[in-house]
Amino acid sequence: MAKSNPFQLLQDVRSEATKVTWPSRRETLITTGLVLAMVVVSSLFFFFADTIIRWGLGVILGAR
C-alpha cells in the first residue's frame, strides 16, 4: 500500500474542486420547481390510489 502525502492530497482536492461547474440560479430554480411539482403529483397519485384501495377492500370485506 502506497503512503500518501496529506499536502499532495489537499492540492489534488483543490485542483479537482476548481473543475466543478455550479448550476446557474435559473437552472436551480427550474430544477427545484420540477422536483416540487413531482412531489405534488406523486402525493396526489398515492392519495387517490390509497383511497380507491381502501374503498375496494371495504366493498369486498363488507365494511361499508
Side-chain angles (χ1 to χ4, degrees):
M1 185 161 54
K3 291 189 177 185
S4 61
N5 182 355
F7 296 110
Q8 181 63 40
L9 175 67
L10 290 175
Q11 288 176 346
D12 291 343
V13 168
R14 177 177 270 187
S15 170
E16 290 298 320
T18 60
K19 297 177 185 177
V20 173
T21 58
W22 294 97
S24 68
R25 181 176 180 87
R26 183 174 184 267
E27 290 172 330
T28 303
L29 290 174
I30 289 172
T31 305
T32 301
L34 289 173
V35 168
L36 291 175
M38 287 305 299
V39 166
V40 170
V41 168
S42 299
S43 298
L44 290 172
F45 170 77
F46 286 115
F47 172 76
F48 287 119
D50 181 54
T51 302
I52 291 169
I53 291 170
R54 187 176 349 135
W55 175 80
L57 284 173
V59 168
I60 291 171
L61 298 176
R64 291 193 176 207

